[in-house]
Amino acid sequence: MTSASGFKATVLTLYPDMFPGHLGASLAGKALERGQWSIDAVQIRDFSEDKHRTVDDTPAGGGAGMVLKPDVLARAIDSLGEDDRPRLLMSPRGKPLTQEKVRELAAKDGVVIVCGRFEGVDQRVIDARLLEEVSIGDYVLSGGEPAALTLLDAVVRILPGVMGNALSGTHESFENGLLEHPQYTRPQVFEGREIPPVLTSGNHGAIEKWRLEQALRLTARRRPDLLPKDD
Ligand code: ADE
């Protein structure tokens, strides 16, 4: 359960200046000021023990790029002490992030997130410290930091009290496993295009039915993978 002191995020990174980033603004920023959640960015380099503060080395077996050293990252993780929070590693190799996973994380006391850089992270520290690899999509970023910010954005916005009433009773994409129906607001006519008449009919049953049909149509067209299999 989320404790009274709020959701605690710790990010291990070579670029701590990237945090809290956009999460210091808007509703997440207000919630941060109110103490509803906290973020601590830990510099991995501080756990290097050589005079050059080395954090990476060439890949065993050869190849391009550099690999984050297991001993340095393990010390950074161990410096957090006894910690029951899930430990994630942002990586394009990870399991894709879903709204279901976001809800699961938001129900915890917090999260530890390791941001990868270079070509990767030594597999032995991933295994030894039980890091769960998470991807935000099938594309490659230059590092895990924007992915960590994206994951935290999705988690923080659903923490109790962060969005106020704005979340309650809404039909968000993925909440019912479907993409959200189209939305409209005034003016009634925009560049010759009208708001669908059912939405201004006042017939709530008809509105709900229309929204569900639209959500199903949109999902079938754009994301058929989200629809239940009929077998
Ligand atoms: N690091 C680089 N690319 C990434 C991705 N797609 N998801 C998570 N972390 C990443």
Side-chain angles (χ1 to χ4, degrees), residues 176-178 216 219-220 223-231:
N176 60 0
L178 300 174
L216 282 165
T219 309
R223 294 292 307 276
D225 56 298
L226 293 177
L227 292 173
K229 312 266 175 302
D230 48 6
D231 53 13

Side-chain angles (χ1 to χ4, degrees), residues 28-50:
K30 297 247 162 55
L32 189 57
E33 278 172 22
R34 287 197 297 264
Q36 286 173 311
W37 70 289
S38 67
I39 183 162
D40 192 16
V42 175
Q43 171 57 271
I44 296 170
R45 198 175 294 281
D46 288 347
F47 297 88
S48 173
E49 291 186 340
D50 69 273

Side-chain angles (χ1 to χ4, degrees), residues 60-122:
M66 299 293 269
V67 177
L68 200 55
K69 287 164 66 64
D71 49 337
V72 177
L73 183 54
R75 279 194 295 273
I77 293 168
D78 295 347
S79 77
L80 304 178
E82 271 297 296
D83 206 316
D84 291 336
R85 293 174 292 167
R87 286 197 284 256
L88 311 182
L89 169 63
M90 304 316 296
S91 156
R93 296 195 327 178
K95 232 170 122 176
L97 182 65
T98 60
Q99 190 64 22
E100 187 188 355
K101 181 70 180 177
V102 168
R103 281 194 289 266
E104 184 191 308
L105 291 170
K108 309 265 185 198
D109 287 332
V111 68
V112 174
I113 306 179
V114 177
C115 298
R117 280 267 152 183
F118 318 110
E119 292 310 297
V121 175
D122 188 300

Side-chain angles (χ1 to χ4, degrees), residues 89-93 116 134-145 147:
L89 169 63
M90 304 316 296
S91 156
R93 296 195 327 178
V134 176
S135 166
I136 63 159
D138 292 342
Y139 40 82
V140 182
L141 304 169
S142 52
E145 287 78 6

